Amino acid sequence: MDVLARMAYMERVIKETVRLFVVGPTTFRKATEDLDLGQCTLTKGSSVVINVMGVHRSEKYWPDPLKFDPDRSLPERFAKQEPYSYLPFSAGRRNCIGKRNPLVRKPFAKYIKNVVITHKNIFSGQ
């Protein structure tokens, strides 16, 4: 397998891993204006908790959401994905500044390795 193809696949594996095992399962924001949600109104200044893990594991946004499928991140499939349904580093202008920083990659790779090994051991009975 070509090195670039392996790297592209590894990137998809990483993206799928952080979708299922998100580092920050919730994020917090403050409403900047009143927002009518139908049954209630969120008033300006209210604190908002975004359940990132809930979004990442929701059947509303992800078919078979608990299945590990790196191909979800293929460009042609991801283009059809609901905006803001993938938030491992938050989104918008207040997203994680380290998201593209190469210094994050090594500890991030270690985190993924630990999650995958733990997950494998849990389900294999080791």
Side-chain angles (χ1 to χ4, degrees):
M1 184 185 269
D2 174 68
V3 172
L4 290 177
R6 287 196 313 255
M7 289 174 62
Y9 183 72
M10 176 56 98
E11 182 177 339
R12 294 196 316 266
V13 167
I14 290 169
K15 286 181 176 181
E16 184 67 355
T17 301
V18 296
R19 183 188 69 81
L20 287 170
F21 304 100
V22 66
V23 177
T26 59
T27 189
F28 301 86
R29 295 290 184 265
K30 189 168 282 207
T32 57
E33 58 186 57
D34 289 351
L35 180 62
D36 182 10
L37 299 174
Q39 296 180 353
C40 64
T41 300
L42 192 61
T43 57
K44 180 180 179 177
S46 297
S47 294
V48 179
V49 179
I50 301 165
N51 180 0
V52 176
M53 184 171 281
V55 171
H56 285 187
R57 294 177 175 211
S58 172
E59 289 181 349
K60 179 178 179 181
Y61 304 113
W62 304 94
D64 200 5
L66 298 179
K67 178 183 176 190
F68 186 84
D69 179 9
D71 290 341
R72 292 179 202 271
S73 295
L74 286 169
E76 59 273 13
R77 285 180 64 184
F78 204 75
K80 299 174 188 171
Q81 193 62 39
E82 184 75 30
Y84 297 105
S85 62
Y86 182 73
L87 303 164
F89 300 98
S90 192
R93 58 177 213 196
R94 294 193 58 199
N95 65 356
C96 177
I97 60 172
K99 167 173 153 173
R100 300 207 186 278
N101 186 337
L103 297 175
V104 180
R105 292 191 182 131
K106 186 174 181 181
F108 191 62
K110 188 174 183 178
Y111 165 77
I112 289 172
K113 177 184 169 197
N114 289 338
V115 167
V116 170
I117 288 171
T118 302
H119 184 66
K120 179 182 174 190
N121 289 342
I122 288 170
F123 289 102
S124 69
Q126 295 180 358

